[in-house]
Amino acid sequence: RFGMFLRREVLPAVEDSIVIFLDEIDYIRALPIDRDEFFVAIRALYNERAQQSSLNQLTFCLLGVAAPKDLVTKPEITPFNIGKAVHLADFSRADIQPFAQAVESLGGDPSDWLDEIYHWTAGHPYMTQTLCASLLYESQQASSRVNISNIVTQAAMRVFLRRGRSEDSNLSYAEKRLDESPIKRELLA
């Protein structure tokens, strides 16, 4: 039905390129649908480009944290051998420098804030943004390096360890990062 809808309703109505973004694709495992059939339908649309040129304007972008083998239940089905995986790297300390303008409002030296944030997140994009957002929301003022370290540590413990994955499903993936972290003992203490 999805493929028919795209062929009959969407493609005739739109002349430009169409990109369908399916975010949090890893959650498809929990949906009450035949996910193999869903991905085979997407692959069929790709294969039919040779016969129906209007399908060339259609692109799918699957976003999330899942390997193709995690999404299909039958290994003999290969709907993903036409795609390209995009692996995103963690932020370097230099990459989080644009956050300095936001953390200025917290008082003290923005570089001290970013150093502490990076210490806790090791550059993981979601964790870095979440910790910054939490600090800004709480808007605790700091003036000294020691005070900044304490405030960031308390926020990291509250956001990542006390609430953890039970309240934030995005952290379930980030949790795996703890095993690779050089400060694992501190994080788990």
Side-chain angles (χ1 to χ4, degrees), residues 83-150:
K84 295 178 188 173
V86 177
H87 298 282
L88 301 177
D90 289 340
F91 292 142
S92 68
R93 174 55 183 84
D95 290 336
I96 67 169
Q97 194 57 41
F99 289 98
Q101 186 176 2
V103 297
E104 270 180 5
S105 66
L106 298 174
D109 184 350
S111 288
D112 291 343
W113 285 102
L114 296 180
D115 289 344
E116 288 299 319
I117 290 164
Y118 190 80
H119 172 79
W120 275 97
T121 66
H124 185 276
Y126 178 78
M127 293 173 73
T128 300
Q129 293 175 40
T130 300
L131 187 51
C132 284
S134 177
L135 290 164
L136 292 169
Y137 178 75
E138 294 165 8
S139 192
Q140 296 185 35
Q141 296 292 311
S143 55
S144 70
R145 175 86 170 131
V146 173
N147 195 3
I148 290 171
S149 179
N150 289 341

Side-chain angles (χ1 to χ4, degrees), residues 35-45 47 72 77-79:
R35 60 184 191 233
D36 289 346
E37 185 177 317
F38 176 73
F39 290 115
V40 167
I42 292 173
R43 174 62 187 255
L45 291 165
N47 290 344
V72 293
I77 297 175
T78 58

Side-chain angles (χ1 to χ4, degrees), residues 55-89:
L55 289 172
N56 285 313
Q57 74 189 78
L58 188 59
T59 302
F60 286 87
C61 182
L62 310 179
L63 305 163
V65 181
K69 66 179 175 52
D70 298 331
L71 298 174
V72 293
T73 58
K74 299 174 190 154
E76 64 274 7
I77 297 175
T78 58
F80 297 108
N81 62 355
I82 55 171
K84 295 178 188 173
V86 177
H87 298 282
L88 301 177

Side-chain angles (χ1 to χ4, degrees), residues 23 41 48 62 69 85 91 97 108 113 154-156 160 162 185-186:
D23 196 7
E48 291 173 26
L62 310 179
K69 66 179 175 52
F91 292 142
Q97 194 57 41
W113 285 102
Q154 289 171 7
F160 300 136
R162 292 195 187 116
R185 287 186 183 179
E186 284 181 42

